[in-house]
Amino acid sequence: MLATAVQSLLAARKTVESEIADLDKRLGCLARQFEACRRVMTIPGVGPVTALAAISAIDDVDRFGRARTAGAYFGLTPRRHQSGEVDHHGGITKRGDAMVRALLYEVATVLLSRVKKFSSLKSWGLKLAKRIGVKRARVAVARKTGAIIAAILKDGTEFWWKVEQPKTV
């Protein structure tokens, strides 16, 4: 009796896994169809799901005066309470799209731990992690990634892997 129950559960799991693989393949094809998604996916750690979610959450990038404000739009800026002589800095505001915020945090985690290729974003995040801690650095990298996504959508460029040092004469 137990074997029958386990076999039916394994069959259901196999069906769910094949459906997930099919949806993942369709999302990848959908993301590759749009030029904006392909440009956003040049950021290390950003895949089709994150690119599609961020682009749909941003919708019209022209409503941001600067790309930096996209981090605040996703709720990745520090919460602040000021009253008279009191000035408290708290955790992040958690305003905006929770799914995109979670995806950007995952992008930051992947960038800081899995991506082997050098980039100025990774270098900045690792230096920040040594100074303020890994979790806070991940939030900061997620905020900066949101700003980079907005900048890419705004000016039509791709992610810059290395920043060239200016040559001095």
Side-chain angles (χ1 to χ4, degrees), residues 87-132:
D87 187 11
H88 293 292
H89 295 277
I92 59 173
T93 59
K94 295 185 182 178
R95 301 283 179 185
D97 195 338
M99 184 180 82
V100 175
R101 185 172 49 255
L103 288 170
L104 289 175
Y105 187 82
E106 288 297 319
V107 166
T109 302
V110 167
L111 176 69
L112 294 177
S113 61
R114 298 279 182 195
V115 175
K116 301 289 184 206
K117 193 172 179 182
F118 171 79
S119 69
S120 56
L121 181 62
K122 180 176 180 163
S123 172
W124 176 77
L126 291 174
K127 287 177 190 173
L128 199 59
K130 286 181 184 177
R131 200 173 75 226
I132 65 171

Side-chain angles (χ1 to χ4, degrees), residues 11 22 26 31 34 37 39 41 56 68 71 76-77 82 87 89 109 122 126 128 130-131 142 148 158 169:
D22 183 46
R26 285 197 269 169
F34 297 106
C37 283
R39 284 187 284 122
M41 287 191 304
S56 67
R68 261 193 297 186
L76 291 166
T77 55
Q82 289 180 320
D87 187 11
H89 295 277
T109 302
K122 180 176 180 163
L126 291 174
L128 199 59
K130 286 181 184 177
R131 200 173 75 226
I148 291 171
E158 293 183 355
V169 178

Side-chain angles (χ1 to χ4, degrees), residues 11-146:
R13 179 179 179 216
K14 192 174 190 178
T15 304
V16 168
E17 284 179 341
S18 68
E19 288 294 319
I20 289 172
D22 183 46
L23 283 173
D24 193 41
K25 185 185 287 186
R26 285 197 269 169
L27 278 176
C29 290
L30 180 67
R32 283 189 293 277
Q33 287 176 359
F34 297 106
E35 190 240 336
C37 283
R38 286 194 306 268
R39 284 187 284 122
V40 168
M41 287 191 304
T42 60
I43 301 170
V46 175
V49 175
T50 305
L52 288 168
I55 289 172
S56 67
I58 289 175
D59 191 31
D60 182 21
V61 75
D62 292 329
R63 65 182 164 172
F64 298 118
R66 297 184 309 197
R68 261 193 297 186
T69 57
Y73 180 72
F74 294 130
L76 291 166
T77 55
R79 177 175 284 149
R80 202 163 183 191
H81 173 71
Q82 289 180 320
S83 174
E85 295 178 5
V86 177
D87 187 11
H88 293 292
H89 295 277
I92 59 173
T93 59
K94 295 185 182 178
R95 301 283 179 185
D97 195 338
M99 184 180 82
V100 175
R101 185 172 49 255
L103 288 170
L104 289 175
Y105 187 82
E106 288 297 319
V107 166
T109 302
V110 167
L111 176 69
L112 294 177
S113 61
R114 298 279 182 195
V115 175
K116 301 289 184 206
K117 193 172 179 182
F118 171 79
S119 69
S120 56
L121 181 62
K122 180 176 180 163
S123 172
W124 176 77
L126 291 174
K127 287 177 190 173
L128 199 59
K130 286 181 184 177
R131 200 173 75 226
I132 65 171
V134 176
K135 289 183 181 180
R136 287 184 178 183
R138 286 178 187 164
V139 172
V141 170
R143 180 174 52 246
K144 194 169 229 182
T145 304

